[in-house]
Amino acid sequence: MPLIRRANYHLKPPLPLMSQTSQITIATLHYGDGEFAVLKAGSHVRCAVSGVPIPLPALRYWSVERQEAYASPVEVLKAQCPDKAA
């Protein structure tokens, strides 16, 4: 019987590198309680406070009432209490 090697079967093929001609676009989302819906496809959203891009897989903080995304808890506090933010 031939020896069957399975070591590489569990490996996923590498993701293609982003070419210089591909565009990184801003997504449009509807923020809900614990989830968001993509209204317009894109690679990221911008933080409402700092303006930094947030990749959709990394998006963890947003306001349902304001329909805004935030990069971290620090930006959430700055948006909720702008007079107390340092």
Side-chain angles (χ1 to χ4, degrees), residues 14-28:
L15 295 173
L17 296 176
M18 212 181 267
S19 69
Q20 293 180 355
T21 59
S22 67
Q23 293 183 348
I24 298 174
T25 57
I26 296 177
T28 303

Side-chain angles (χ1 to χ4, degrees), residues 22-81:
S22 67
Q23 293 183 348
I24 298 174
T25 57
I26 296 177
T28 303
L29 306 179
H30 176 77
Y31 303 100
D33 292 324
E35 61 187 15
F36 57 82
V38 178
L39 302 177
K40 179 184 166 205
S43 60
H44 69 282
V45 293
R46 293 236 174 235
C47 176
V49 175
S50 65
V52 299
I54 309 165
L56 294 187
L59 180 59
R60 300 286 183 266
Y61 307 100
W62 61 80
S63 168
V64 176
E65 294 81 20
R66 296 180 182 178
Q67 290 294 297
E68 296 177 335
Y70 307 110
S72 73
V74 173
E75 282 84 0
V76 173
L77 291 174
K78 287 181 182 179
Q80 290 180 352
C81 305

